[in-house]
Amino acid sequence: ALSYSTLKAIPSVQPKMAGLSAVVEALSYSTLDAIPIFHPEMAGLSGVVVLDGGMGHLLRQKGVEIKGEIGSLERFLGVAMANIDLPHLVREAHEDYLRAGANVVTTNSYACVSRVVGDADRVLTTIRAAGTIAREAADAHKAMVAGCLPPLNTSYRADKVADDDELQREYAVIAETIAPYSDVLLCETMSSAREAAAAVRAAKATGKPVWVSWALSEDMSGNLVSGESIAEAVEALHLEPNGPVKACMFNCCSPEAISLALPRLRAAVPLGVATGGYANGFHIVKVPGSSSEYREDFTPEDYAELCAGWAADGSTILGGCCGIFPAHIAALAERLNSTSGTAEQPSRL
């Protein structure tokens, strides 16, 4: 909530002490010297972190079948089973993002839930396969793995969030299964405060650092899909400075919605909790007159510039979600590296 002009009046902290080795052009060291309130190492980070982009859409380009209504469970089955049936394509997709400049890849286990793949044994098998593939790819590039804790039901539907008993039971299994392959656990595309809180509790129980990311409403209210405010969502997590939840983000929604909501998120989280965003590059709802589900007005360079703006305002975890491809991540990494020479790999969390 404080402007940079106000922050400049506050006693400074040296940027190297804050671990800010990779910054965007808009953040000069003279500006960073004036910001004493953010220490990336306290959030388990070392520098600006570049996430990967969407796996499902990239796998579709590589030949994996995706069908069904956007957000539906049917749409994800092929992506989940690719971990078993087409592991070389999953590995290739991870490596495409790593070569583009991502230093964190998320496990291809978003769809590895019982309502998509079936019985418990199949859930465990697909999650373990996803973890193995991501771990091997990340290790080859000295990168990190974010283990995914996804919605258990249809995405973007707060009314479809399971009851508390199911959330507790299912998230415990997912977290325990993916944790051995992961550097951090990522509770993502959370539609409501209750859903996110349940996923975070299960993730915290593993002892791994935790990131949480909510999906925002597309009505430009700045609220979650559920209609709850960002302040309510953060409050439900009972965050503590230097606690196990290291980052709060937004994902799987329009970049415009994220741009609107990020200032509210930064104002709501305590000291030491990083913020960030990874937006969609496709239309969640069909746009009249458009022949493509992908945004035709959104080039990789456009996305990189948008993320640079988020970083200039203090967010340090940036990447892409559905419809954001390696070309977007390459442009983003290049943009972030343009003033720092080389990108520093984030330390293992």
Side-chain angles (χ1 to χ4, degrees):
L2 295 176
S3 67
Y4 280 160
S5 61
T6 301
L7 287 167
K8 287 178 181 177
I10 303 174
S12 67
V13 60
Q14 291 299 314
K16 290 184 179 179
M17 293 173 62
L20 293 176
S21 58
V23 296
V24 297
E25 184 177 323
L27 282 176
S28 67
Y29 274 140
S30 60
T31 300
L32 286 168
D33 282 346
I35 306 177
I37 57 174
F38 181 73
H39 301 262
E41 75 276 8
M42 294 176 66
L45 309 176
S46 176
V48 176
V49 176
V50 178
L51 305 178
D52 56 6
M55 283 293 286
H57 288 255
L58 182 56
L59 287 171
R60 178 166 66 177
Q61 286 190 349
K62 294 179 180 295
V64 173
E65 183 179 33
I66 296 179
K67 61 182 181 180
E69 183 180 351
I70 291 174
S72 67
L73 298 176
E74 176 191 7
R75 187 173 173 87
F76 296 118
L77 179 60
V79 176
M81 296 312 299
N83 294 309
I84 304 297
D85 301 331
L86 299 165
H88 64 289
L89 292 185
V90 179
R91 171 72 181 260
E92 186 179 286
H94 285 314
E95 291 184 336
D96 285 352
Y97 284 121
L98 290 163
R99 284 191 292 266
N103 36 42
V104 179
V105 292
T106 301
T107 57
N108 183 46
S109 51
Y110 187 89
C112 299
V113 295
S114 58
R115 282 185 171 80
V116 175
V117 301
D119 62 42
D121 287 342
R122 211 173 185 193
V123 169
L124 297 178
T125 299
T126 52
I127 291 176
R128 288 168 181 154
T132 298
I133 297 166
R135 183 77 269 164
E136 291 175 352
D139 285 348
H141 292 262
K142 297 181 179 179
M144 299 194 315
V145 172
C148 176
L149 275 72
L152 302 180
N153 292 300
T154 305
S155 300
Y156 321 128
R157 291 288 300 273
D159 60 315
K160 297 288 187 179
V161 172
D163 62 37
D164 290 345
D165 288 343
E166 182 178 349
L167 290 173
Q168 179 179 350
R169 181 177 65 254
E170 295 292 327
Y171 279 137
V173 170
I174 293 170
E176 291 168 4
T177 305
I178 200 61
Y181 308 94
S182 307
D183 299 294
V184 60
L185 296 186
L186 173 58
C187 310
E188 62 177 343
T189 323
M190 301 283 100
S191 293
S192 72
R194 183 171 64 86
E195 181 180 40
V200 166
R201 281 194 297 272
K204 287 165 60 177
T206 69
K208 294 282 184 176
V210 179
W211 295 351
V212 59
S213 188
W214 297 277
L216 295 164
S217 172
E218 299 294 345
D219 64 4
M220 298 305 290
S221 63
N223 294 328
L224 306 190
V225 170
S226 63
E228 294 164 295
S229 71
I230 292 162
E232 289 172 323
V234 171
E235 183 179 359
L237 299 180
H238 305 291
L239 300 178
E240 301 174 353
N242 306 315
V245 177
K246 303 298 185 182
C248 292
M249 298 177 280
F250 301 121
N251 80 294
C252 216
C253 45
S254 72
E256 292 85 358
I258 292 178
S259 293
L260 175 67
L262 273 175
R264 302 181 191 181
L265 181 61
R266 286 189 291 269
V269 299
L271 177 69
V273 176
T275 62
Y278 50 116
N280 282 341
F282 83 126
H283 302 291
I284 293 177
V285 295
K286 185 168 179 59
V287 176
S290 175
S291 60
S292 173
E293 69 180 7
Y294 298 108
R295 292 186 57 156
E296 298 164 349
D297 62 339
F298 216 54
T299 67
E301 292 72 25
D302 292 333
Y303 191 64
E305 190 65 25
L306 180 76
C307 289
W310 296 345
D313 289 335
S315 292
T316 56
I317 307 177
L318 308 170
C321 203
C322 305
I324 296 296
F325 294 100
H328 297 86
I329 299 305
L332 170 58
E334 182 178 358
R335 181 73 170 85
L336 295 177
N337 291 342
S338 62
T339 58
S340 61
T342 58
E344 179 179 334
Q345 291 290 340
S347 60
R348 285 289 170 87
L349 302 179

